[in-house]
Amino acid sequence: MRVISGTLKGRQLKAVPGSGTRPTTDKVKESIFNMLGPFFEGGTGLDLFAGSGGLGIEALSRGLDKVIFVDKDSKALQTIKNNLNDCKLMDQTEVYRNDAARALKALVKREVTFDYIFLDPPYKQKRLEELVAYIDEHNLLNENGYVMCEYSSDSRPSDQIGKLQKVKEETYGIIGISIYTY
């Protein structure tokens, strides 16, 4: 795993030990950022189900100002912190150990909003639509923001969730990617 482009291009990232997480492949990560940018002029991001932090770190490397990382696994949290330290990104980030739904509720209470939200939950949970609906209902996404969803290609999410409309969709073997915006 590595950072593909931007200020940290080529930087190696550690993976979460064990088989509990599924890192986004470089090919899929490149495609995600080509659909979203590929580069940003500032902005904020949320990497929910962050795993090793690869998506959020890639977003920072490509120009986001700040990213909040959330994962409930303690090994993932340690890996994220190690990768952020190695990339010297700690001052642009917040890292929390929490369940996704609880994290979103905490962010609503803090009145935090995002330009980019990365959702890559465990495929078996099939919670994407519920999470995107919550993001929409509680105005966690800025007006011109995007939600990126990664999922098993056999469980494609709806074209519209609340006020969010799917604007891009790609399939890479067993992996599906959808981008939503207002």
Side-chain angles (χ1 to χ4, degrees):
M1 277 193 343
R2 63 189 172 89
V3 179
I4 297 167
S5 191
T7 59
L8 299 168
K9 181 178 180 175
R11 183 74 55 105
Q12 293 295 316
L13 299 176
K14 295 174 184 74
V16 179
S19 60
T21 62
R22 167 195 34 77
T24 301
T25 65
D26 285 354
K27 177 183 176 184
V28 173
K29 194 178 348 176
E30 180 72 29
S31 175
I32 289 167
F33 286 95
N34 284 339
M35 287 193 275
L36 289 173
F39 296 96
F40 312 111
E41 293 181 17
T44 56
L46 172 63
D47 191 349
L48 207 56
F49 306 96
S52 65
L55 289 172
I57 291 170
E58 187 74 33
L60 288 164
S61 178
R62 291 172 183 248
L64 283 192
D65 297 318
K66 181 177 182 172
V67 173
I68 295 177
F69 296 84
V70 178
D71 204 292
K72 68 178 186 178
D73 181 76
S74 59
K75 288 180 191 171
L77 266 280
Q78 192 56 54
T79 303
I80 293 165
K81 288 176 182 176
N82 288 341
N83 283 333
L84 291 172
N85 273 323
D86 291 349
C87 294
K88 298 180 178 24
L89 293 171
M90 290 301 286
D91 60 335
Q92 293 176 262
T93 62
E94 296 176 34
V95 182
Y96 298 103
R97 181 178 182 187
N98 210 339
D99 168 79
R102 281 189 175 151
L104 291 176
K105 288 177 184 170
L107 292 166
V108 168
K109 283 184 183 174
R110 284 178 53 192
E111 299 180 5
V112 180
T113 60
F114 300 95
D115 299 298
Y116 299 91
I117 298 176
F118 303 96
L119 299 178
D120 183 11
Y123 291 169
K124 292 177 185 171
Q125 288 184 8
K126 298 188 178 182
R127 296 176 55 198
L128 267 178
E129 291 204 25
E130 163 193 332
L131 293 167
V132 174
Y134 189 89
I135 288 164
D136 173 47
E137 289 167 24
H138 293 88
N139 303 309
L140 284 165
L141 187 67
N142 291 331
E143 185 179 332
N144 296 316
Y146 293 93
V147 178
M148 185 288 304
C149 301
E150 183 175 332
Y151 49 88
S152 173
S153 59
D154 64 1
S155 62
R156 184 178 170 266
S158 301
D159 290 342
Q160 179 136 3
I161 303 172
K163 295 184 295 288
L164 289 164
Q165 181 72 37
K166 186 186 302 178
V167 291
K168 295 182 183 174
E169 179 178 64
E170 296 288 338
T171 303
Y172 303 91
I174 62 165
I175 298 168
I177 303 291
S178 289
I179 308 290
Y180 290 86
T181 191
Y182 289 111

